[in-house]
Amino acid sequence: MADVSAEARIEASTEKVWAKLSDFSVYGEWSATHTGFPKGAPASLEQGGTFEENMKLMGFPAEVVWTVTELEPGRALTIKGKGPMGVNVGTRYSLAPDGDATTVRIDGEFTGAAVSLMAGKLKDSAGAALQESLRKLAALVA
């Protein structure tokens, strides 16, 4: 298992941050691991909805089939996915008002037999990608 997280204070309202975070037409502009949606970007988010995403992590491409497992508009989004080599992935985005700004936290989890072989490098790579994603999201909503 490999767990990673990153948090940033973004100088924008929770509503503005959520609007960009949940808009898949701009997802590639801020998500550092995203390379495409092989079947097109999801039109909207809904509990239990699924979508496929092409990603790149640690220099390796991967296709993940995601399911939305938690959706609280303006507050939280959790997606769980299945990737190659039996790797299971979970990502949770949480937003909290912080005065005129928003604190955004991303938590990621990787499980599966293949993860134990590369947990250290995976944590480093995924952690850096989360930090970069938060920087890009902040720039996008500014």
Side-chain angles (χ1 to χ4, degrees):
M1 174 187 270
D3 293 330
V4 294
S5 64
E7 185 174 288
R9 185 174 193 269
I10 295 178
E11 298 298 325
S13 69
T14 302
E15 293 79 17
K16 190 171 182 181
V17 174
W18 179 261
K20 292 298 182 189
L21 184 130
S22 61
D23 179 357
F24 283 100
S25 70
V26 296
Y27 191 71
E29 293 180 36
W30 65 268
S31 176
T33 59
H34 177 79
T35 60
F37 293 110
K39 294 186 177 178
S44 63
L45 286 171
E46 57 186 56
Q47 184 86 23
T50 62
F51 63 95
E52 294 180 19
E53 179 186 15
N54 289 335
M55 305 173 66
K56 187 175 263 190
L57 192 59
M58 294 180 23
F60 296 103
E63 186 172 299
V64 177
V65 178
W66 294 104
T67 300
V68 177
T69 60
E70 176 191 19
L71 179 61
E72 292 181 53
R75 298 197 40 148
L77 168 64
T78 302
I79 53 177
K80 302 280 182 175
K82 295 190 182 299
M85 300 187 320
V87 173
N88 294 308
V89 186
T91 304
R92 184 171 199 275
Y93 302 93
S94 31
L95 285 67
D98 187 1
D100 291 336
T102 303
T103 297
V104 180
R105 181 177 174 90
I106 307 174
D107 294 293
E109 176 184 87
F110 300 86
T111 59
V115 173
S116 63
L117 302 173
M118 56 185 169
K121 287 185 179 185
L122 182 59
K123 283 182 182 183
D124 292 344
S125 179
L130 293 183
Q131 291 291 349
E132 182 182 348
S133 294
L134 287 171
R135 281 192 302 277
K136 287 180 172 184
L137 181 60
L140 188 63
V141 299

